[in-house]
Amino acid sequence: DVKVTQSSRYLVKRTGEKVFLECVQDMDHENMFWYRQDPGLGLRLIYFSYDVKMKEKGDIPEGYSVSREKKERFSLILESASTNQTSMYLCATPGEGTDQPQHFGDGTRLSIL
Amino acid sequence: RKEVEQDPGPFNVPEGATVAFNCTYSNSASQSFFWYRQDCRKEPKLLMSVYSSGNEDGRFTAQLNRASQYISLLIRDSKLSDSATYLCVVNIGGYSTLTFGKGTMLLVSP
């Protein structure tokens, strides 16, 4: 079974802080994804990475950056947190092949005060 | 037009009922299809993949109609534990980037 681990289940930060959300997968997968999920808006793709040091913008990259220094770890960075970034953040990695589903971490519920 | 559309519900059904959810997608190049289940305040979890010939997993049956760009999920003999939000998910290929519907909420009552 694929294991995707997110560093925190719940996080509270202040406006303007730099926030790091960490995600680790144990399956040596190349692709990793960061989503946010908000009521009424569903899951939206922020960034994804298809290899170490490679990244691609998703649908809503503004205000975020990512880091992929090692294959198993994909970090999401809020450069200067704002209240509209309060959300549930989900990391995911798919199996190999385009017909494979994605496996999600438990999610991080982030509140920006 | 939204890429993946679902009726948000909620669908309120009694235990033992049969319920069906529908989903339409706009990109005809979509390659693979899934239903996910998401419990309140939890991460989405894969319920089942959807194959062109249709497929069944216990009480759950998924169907795909590529011509109409339509996916369905049928749940028979509903259980209280089936109460959740069901997400229709489509992969248009390339890096396994998925497009998610906003989900259909199911509430099964005693």
Side-chain angles (χ1 to χ4, degrees):
Chain A
D1 244 11
V2 178
K3 181 74 174 169
V4 181
T5 303
Q6 293 185 228
S7 52
S8 306
R9 289 297 301 272
Y10 300 93
L11 206 52
V12 180
K13 296 290 183 180
R14 296 203 173 276
T15 303
E17 279 193 72
K18 190 168 187 176
V19 181
F20 293 85
L21 302 183
E22 306 287 347
C23 176
V24 177
Q25 50 101 356
D26 67 351
M27 290 300 291
D28 201 36
H29 287 169
E30 292 181 344
N31 298 341
M32 296 185 74
F33 296 76
W34 274 106
Y35 297 88
R36 64 177 282 178
Q37 186 175 29
D38 301 286
L41 296 176
L43 274 95
R44 294 180 291 168
L45 180 62
I46 304 171
Y47 265 99
F48 66 100
S49 169
Y50 52 90
D51 204 348
V52 175
K53 296 193 186 294
M54 307 302 284
K55 61 184 179 185
E56 290 285 340
K57 293 180 180 178
D59 299 319
I60 51 161
E62 296 78 19
Y64 302 94
S65 63
V66 290
S67 172
R68 185 103 181 264
E69 296 297 318
K70 293 184 178 181
K71 197 172 188 180
E72 67 270 19
R73 185 180 297 270
F74 189 35
S75 303
L76 179 69
I77 304 156
L78 285 66
E79 297 291 342
S80 177
S82 63
T83 55
N84 63 12
Q85 292 179 308
T86 292
S87 186
M88 168 77 131
Y89 289 87
L90 290 154
C91 175
T93 183
E96 301 303 324
T98 56
D99 62 342
Q100 295 300 306
Q102 292 200 5
H103 303 274
F104 287 87
D106 290 342
T108 297
R109 195 165 287 277
L110 175 65
S111 296
I112 307 297
L113 305 179
Chain B
R1 183 180 172 187
K2 296 176 185 173
E3 293 192 54
V4 178
E5 289 203 62
Q6 296 181 251
D7 182 340
F11 284 55
N12 287 283
V13 302
E15 268 187 294
T18 295
V19 61
F21 305 138
N22 301 321
C23 168
T24 57
Y25 60 95
S26 60
N27 192 327
S28 59
S30 299
Q31 297 182 7
S32 47
F33 310 88
F34 310 94
W35 282 103
Y36 277 72
R37 172 201 166 116
Q38 187 172 24
D39 294 297
C40 188
R41 304 177 77 83
K42 299 274 190 158
E43 77 279 16
K45 291 187 178 177
L46 178 68
L47 179 66
M48 59 197 301
S49 300
V50 186
Y51 302 118
S52 297
S53 54
N55 49 299
E56 190 174 305
D57 182 2
R59 298 182 293 109
F60 300 84
T61 301
Q63 301 253 324
L64 168 64
N65 184 321
R66 284 188 184 271
S68 302
Q69 296 180 201
Y70 170 99
I71 306 159
S72 66
L73 177 68
L74 182 78
I75 305 175
R76 290 181 299 277
D77 189 22
S78 299
K79 312 290 185 191
L80 295 176
S81 57
D82 293 335
S83 296
T85 296
Y86 291 83
L87 304 173
C88 174
V89 185
V90 172
N91 183 350
I92 61 170
Y95 300 127
S96 297
T97 307
L98 299 181
T99 301
F100 290 80
K102 294 180 182 177
T104 298
M105 184 182 291
L106 173 64
L107 300 171
V108 182
S109 53

